């Protein structure tokens, strides 16, 4: 998915699910997943959305 779409989705999921979401970049585009489910290379993480951070 495009970066702008992934950023919007990541922020929205984080606030809705009240969990940390990571935005990652792969060879196929950008994806968002819960941080506790991501076990890939930390170099892939573009952004982390934490609903509890101010």
């Amino acid at each position: 998915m495009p970066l702008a779409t992934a950023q919007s989705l990541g922020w929205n999921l984080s606030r809705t699910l009240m969990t940390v979401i990571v935005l990652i970049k792969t060879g196929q585009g950008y994806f968002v997943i819960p941080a506790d489910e991501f076990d890939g290379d930390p170099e892939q993480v573009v952004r982390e959305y934490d609903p509890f951070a101010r």
Side-chain angles (χ1 to χ4, degrees):
M1 87 178 59
L3 178 58
T5 303
Q7 288 172 321
S8 178
L9 180 60
W11 180 84
N12 189 23
L13 279 174
S14 175
R15 299 293 292 175
T16 301
L17 300 175
M18 294 306 289
T19 189
V20 178
I21 300 291
V22 292
L23 168 64
I24 60 170
K25 182 177 181 180
T26 68
Q28 299 173 350
Y30 295 92
F31 297 93
V32 293
I33 60 172
D36 59 352
E37 293 182 17
F38 178 68
D39 60 354
D41 183 6
E43 296 281 322
Q44 289 180 297
V45 176
V46 175
R47 169 98 192 210
E48 185 175 281
Y49 296 97
D50 185 349
F52 303 106
R54 293 283 166 171

